[in-house]
Every structure is written in C-alpha cells, then in structure tokens.
Amino acid sequence: MRVSGSPFKRGLLTATALMLGIVSASPALADGEMKLEKPKPLVAQTPPMGWNSWNHFNCNIDEAKVRGAADAMASSGMKAAGYQYIIIDDCWQTSRDGDGNIVADSAKFPSGIKALADYIHGKGLKFGIYSDAGLKTCGGRPASRGHEFQDAKTYARWGVDYLKYDWCSTGSDDAKADYTVMAMALRDSGRDIVFSMCEWGTAKPWLWAADVGHLWRTTGDISDAWVKNEKSKAWEHGMLDILDQQVGLESFAGPGHWNDPDMLEVGNGGMTTTEYAAHFSLWAMLAAPLIAGNDLSVMTKDTHDILTNPDVIAIDQDALGVEGHRAVKDGDFETWVRPLAGGDRAVILLNRSAAAHHMAVDWATLNMAASEKADVKDLWSKAVTKAVKGSFGADVPSHGVVMIRVTPKA
Ligand code: GLA
C-alpha cells in the first residue's frame, strides 16, 4: 500500500513504526511503502447494526446512559432484530496518564470502561468506542496520534469490538496513511475489532479503504432533518442531502467494506414518522450500517416499530451485499433498486414532494421481462400482491416511501 503523504509525513510514520518496533515486520517502509501484513478481520460481513451515543446525547454521556442503552437494546426486541453494538462516541476520555495510557472520565464512568464492556458483553451484545486520528477529537479530547498501538492494545484489553475513528485536528495529514497506521495497530492488538473510519469522505475513502477498514463515512455529519434546515449545524447535512451524495458510490461497497452515510436519526424528533420510515428504508437500500442514534430507553412505539421492521432489516443485511442505486430520477420522484441474494429485488419509490403521488416501477427497471410474474410484498404495510406482471404502482405519501420486495416466480 502506497503512502501518498509528504516525505516528511512518511518519515514521521517510519519513525513512529521504528519506535514501536514494527519496522522489521514491514521492510517496505524504508522506501515509503506501508503494508498491512495481517489480514483484515472477517467481521462486519453484513453492515454493522447497533447504537451510538452521539446523535442523541452528544458529549453528555455517562455509564448509566450507556448501560441503559444496552438494557433497552436487549429487552426491547432490538437485539432480537439483529442489533449488536453499543458504541460510546466522543467525550468519554479526559487525559493520558504518565505512561501515555488513555484515561476515561472517572466522574462520568466511575466503574471504568472495562467494567462497562463486561456489562455489555454480559447482555450478549458487543462494545464499541471512539477515537480520532489527530491530536484531539472533535470534542477536544485527547486523540490517538502517536498512541495508535498503545490505544489499540488498551481497547483489546478492555474488550472493545468496534472502533469509530474520527478525523478532527489532523491538519494536512494523508488520510490513507493515518487510517492505515490504526488498522495495523488494531490488527496487532490480538482482538478482532470492526474499524469504522469517520473521515467524512474528504479523501474519497471508497477508492482506497476497502483493505483498511470495514466501513467509511462518505459525508459530513447527518442532521435530524429531512433536508438541511436552520437548526442544522454548518457541517451537517439533511437526510436527503446525504442520500444524494451516495449516488455513484454503490459499486465500492460489499461484504466487509461498506459506505457509511452516517448514523440513524430515527426517533430523535426532527422528522415525522413517515420521514423516519423513509430514512430507515433508504439506509437499508444503501446497505448502510444501521446504527440507531436515539434514546433507546424512551422509544415510542412508532420508533421501535421502524427500527425493528424485520423485512427492511433483511434488505439491509442481505447476504449478496450489493448496495442499491438510484435507477430513476424524475424531479421529486425517484426509484431505488437493490438486487438481493436468490434473485429478489428491493425497490423504493421515494416521493420528495409536498403532496402524495402515484408512482410505479416497470419490470424493465428491474431487468425483468414485462411478462414475468412476481409476488410483491410491501415491507411497511405487509400487503402481498401475487403474480404481478409488467409493473407495480402505489400511492406514495409526501416525504415518504413505498418499499417493496419483488420475488420473481419461476
Ligand atoms: C464528528 C463525527 C461525528 C461525531 C463527532 C464527535 O463530527 O463526524 O459523527 O463522532 O465528531 O465529536
């Protein structure tokens, strides 16, 4: 793997590697090459599903909230629906000790991170944590630059199963080089850890990250809004703004390497139930990680039913691992299609307009002959229409979707 940063940067990486005693394992470092010698762990073969503290709690987190999320995931039906990871985002860390070890905020996490990981594992769930490739995290906490191998060892000791690795305060760093260093460190840690790269798409990680990590953010942060509005922060995008930025990236995703259009906002209050159902459907179409970002301990029934819809989750987790694409765009009316294992197709009719609209998908759009018969299941109403030929039409609510699974009949 070529490190394309400046000679200075490559020298720095070589020096870091030398200090860490990994140079002998990477002879190619001498001429600026950096090789990931150990294979990427075979985790996240389908898009990871879990919960992350950021979208609801931001920096305001503590161990009670994280335990509460684990309790709710285990008891609400989310775990049974496939959710696994409980991920603490930014602001759990305060400093480094005299030996350079990362120190958790003892007021917010008095039992320590290892005890929290044990608690989460005790519920049959997995545990994720957050750091950043720069000097400081986006929340201004100590990040991993120069401590990558030490931090990875600490995470392994704590029982971390998933690392989200952010990109704040990295200056003019080369993203591929920095993420490769942490990938090496994780693979050296002795534990299989999902590597979630949060580089915001700036250096086009879809072009180079499939061997480095398991998923990569493709955009800046999501906002709890249908489209960006006055409440969104400068670096945030509305849900549909993010959707638009996924067009053309679909070929880069596959089992073990996913585009990440950011975490879910379902249940956080900024969109209607219809809009949240569209958000969840579209993320499943995109083979996106399904990382809930609401307060799981106080979910409404609507939120619960969206997050646990088994038919939509089955699309997201489909074994073929082919990301869906936008097949038709006609102003505010779009058709998205995803081929599935076994020959089924998932289809979304998306209505971005302010009024309900009748929409239809032609079999030609699904690479099917007009005469071919198929059963069609509406994945939200659960209605099944048998032996449909030629096309399927439905009334699509304003700011909503109809999502169907098309099963061709022999
Ligand atoms: C960045 C990331 C977010 C979140 C925050 C934490 O903005 O993109 O997902 O992790 O940092 O500070």
Side-chain angles (χ1 to χ4, degrees):
M1 175 165 297
R2 178 116 206 128
V3 176
S4 53
S6 66
F8 169 74
K9 173 73 190 164
R10 290 200 298 272
L12 199 68
L13 286 167
T14 308
T16 309
L18 273 167
M19 279 185 316
L20 292 160
I22 58 170
V23 135
S24 57
S26 310
L29 273 171
D31 68 354
E33 298 276 337
M34 227 186 7
K35 271 221 165 59
L36 277 163
E37 309 229 321
K38 293 190 178 152
K40 196 170 75 167
L42 278 180
V43 288
Q45 291 298 290
T46 60
M49 295 176 63
W51 172 88
N52 172 298
S53 53
W54 184 255
N55 281 356
H56 187 82
F57 292 109
N58 287 191
C59 253
N60 188 20
I61 44 160
D62 56 44
E63 68 181 39
K65 286 175 180 153
V66 178
R67 282 180 194 223
D71 293 345
M73 185 177 282
S75 65
S76 66
M78 286 186 72
K79 179 184 167 196
Y83 291 85
Q84 272 192 304
Y85 295 96
I86 294 285
I87 304 158
I88 313 180
D89 207 280
D90 206 350
C91 303
W92 61 269
Q93 60 293 68
T94 47
S95 55
R96 290 192 180 273
D97 69 15
D99 296 324
N101 296 306
I102 192 73
V103 176
D105 183 332
S106 60
K108 299 264 172 99
F109 295 89
S111 314
I113 303 296
K114 169 91 173 65
L116 191 51
D118 289 348
Y119 182 84
I120 290 165
H121 289 143
K123 299 248 152 200
L125 299 168
K126 294 184 172 168
F127 173 59
I129 208 161
Y130 163 101
S131 190
D132 178 292
L135 285 171
K136 289 202 153 62
T137 70
C138 298
R141 306 304 176 98
S144 291
R145 167 171 296 172
H147 293 273
E148 293 88 351
F149 283 76
Q150 187 176 21
D151 285 354
K153 287 245 154 38
T154 301
Y155 303 151
R157 202 170 56 246
W158 285 343
V160 167
D161 304 297
Y162 183 115
L163 175 67
K164 172 175 169 181
Y165 203 51
D166 214 340
W167 191 239
C168 274
S169 69
T170 49
S172 57
D173 279 15
D174 180 87
K176 184 174 173 182
D178 282 10
Y179 280 95
T180 299
V181 172
M182 188 43 110
M184 287 173 118
L186 291 175
R187 290 178 206 186
D188 213 44
S189 75
R191 196 171 166 91
D192 286 351
I193 296 176
V194 175
F195 191 24
S196 161
M197 304 172 41
C198 181
E199 187 272 346
W200 319 315
T202 318
K204 298 189 167 50
W206 47 89
L207 296 179
W208 49 264
D211 296 333
V212 180
H214 299 92
L215 57 153
W216 50 82
R217 281 272 297 277
T218 54
T219 69
D221 291 6
I222 193 168
S223 169
D224 183 16
W226 179 250
V227 291
K228 188 172 174 131
N229 63 27
E230 64 292 344
K231 288 190 197 151
S232 311
K233 302 194 178 87
W235 59 88
E236 291 180 344
H237 309 264
M239 187 273 288
L240 286 187
D241 310 323
I242 288 189
L243 179 74
D244 289 338
Q245 294 175 68
Q246 309 314 306
V247 174
L249 302 187
E250 52 275 347
S251 64
F252 299 105
H257 52 100
W258 308 105
N259 288 310
D260 175 7
D262 206 0
M263 304 173 291
L264 297 165
E265 291 285 9
V266 177
N268 278 334
M271 291 185 244
T272 66
T273 300
T274 304
E275 290 172 340
Y276 279 139
H279 173 24
F280 195 68
S281 303
L282 289 161
W283 262 229
M285 174 59 59
L286 295 171
L290 297 180
I291 308 293
N294 56 313
D295 182 352
L296 300 185
S297 66
V298 294
M299 265 187 291
T300 64
K301 183 171 184 317
D302 282 345
T303 297
H304 170 272
D305 291 352
I306 291 172
L307 289 174
T308 58
N309 183 322
D311 293 309
V312 177
I313 290 172
I315 303 300
D316 182 74
Q317 297 288 300
D318 183 75
L320 194 59
V322 172
E323 180 175 329
H325 67 282
R326 185 162 71 191
V328 177
K329 176 151 182 72
D330 176 12
D332 279 339
F333 311 112
E334 298 177 6
T335 304
W336 289 74
V337 178
R338 179 171 176 184
L340 304 172
D344 287 8
R345 279 78 155 168
V347 179
I348 287 178
L349 303 172
L350 167 65
N351 175 6
R352 305 164 74 124
S353 82
H357 193 74
H358 188 81
M359 295 179 65
V361 57
D362 278 329
W363 271 198
T365 305
L366 306 182
N367 287 324
M368 286 163 55
S371 58
E372 210 172 328
K373 285 188 191 154
D375 291 349
V376 174
K377 180 172 188 184
D378 182 316
L379 304 188
W380 290 102
S381 77
K382 310 301 180 189
V384 176
T385 315
K386 296 265 186 200
V388 181
K389 278 203 277 185
S391 72
F392 180 84
D395 291 328
V396 186
S398 162
H399 286 199
V401 298
V402 165
M403 186 176 198
I404 56 173
R405 184 179 187 119
V406 178
T407 305
K409 293 282 131 193

